[in-house]
Amino acid sequence: MQINNECIRDILFVIEKKANFEHGCHMMGAYRKYPELEKYGGNGVIPYHVRYLEMKGMVFRPNKEYTDSYDLTPSGHEFLANVREENNWKKIKSVSSSIGFASLKVVSAIAEGVATAAINKQLGFSE
């Protein structure tokens, strides 16, 4: 299955919104529970992407008893902070499309670059 960065971003938003210190976000049947994920359907897309996010260290299972319960790691929070703004997300997608790379590592690097450029502009370091 091909990785869909929109799906990754949407999953992270849902987990951020639903998880708290006491409970993770249950992802079993997520496309039925969370309207933001309906578009990915029940064909295994969401579980595949959640497993990928877990392998990449962006989500973890806070309670090992619940195999479908997830929360964000510091890396997941950092990635989400860098892709949260819709305008920045559009820039990130545009750059990754124009260079022909869209791996999560590349998207993360572009997101950090976009954030750095915004900071530099705000501080008056660039025009």
Side-chain angles (χ1 to χ4, degrees), residues 82 87-89 91-92 95 108-119:
N82 288 336
N87 286 336
N88 290 345
W89 181 238
K91 289 176 192 174
I92 293 161
V95 170
S108 294
I110 295 167
E112 287 181 25
V114 168
T116 300
I119 291 166

Side-chain angles (χ1 to χ4, degrees), residues 52-63:
Y52 177 76
L53 286 166
E54 187 173 23
M55 291 173 13
K56 295 297 278 182
M58 291 193 170
V59 299
F60 73 103
R61 285 183 258 153
N63 185 336

Side-chain angles (χ1 to χ4, degrees), residues 46-102:
I46 294 170
Y48 187 87
H49 283 75
V50 170
R51 182 174 62 191
Y52 177 76
L53 286 166
E54 187 173 23
M55 291 173 13
K56 295 297 278 182
M58 291 193 170
V59 299
F60 73 103
R61 285 183 258 153
N63 185 336
K64 302 299 182 205
E65 293 177 30
Y66 301 108
T67 59
D68 76 322
S69 178
Y70 295 89
D71 198 351
L72 300 179
T73 65
S75 295
H77 280 288
E78 186 175 323
F79 176 82
L80 204 49
N82 288 336
V83 301
R84 182 176 309 282
E85 279 298 317
E86 198 60 41
N87 286 336
N88 290 345
W89 181 238
K90 288 177 184 175
K91 289 176 192 174
I92 293 161
K93 291 190 308 182
S94 175
V95 170
S96 67
S97 175
S98 69
I99 63 173
F101 297 107

Side-chain angles (χ1 to χ4, degrees), residues 5-34:
N5 291 316
E6 288 285 344
C7 183
I8 294 243
R9 183 173 179 252
D10 290 342
I11 288 169
L12 292 174
F13 276 135
V14 167
I15 293 173
E16 178 189 53
K17 181 178 172 183
K18 298 295 182 182
N20 61 47
F21 182 75
E22 294 177 1
H23 304 285
C25 175
H26 292 279
M27 296 304 291
M28 184 77 68
Y31 72 97
R32 289 189 301 267
K33 286 192 264 188
Y34 311 118

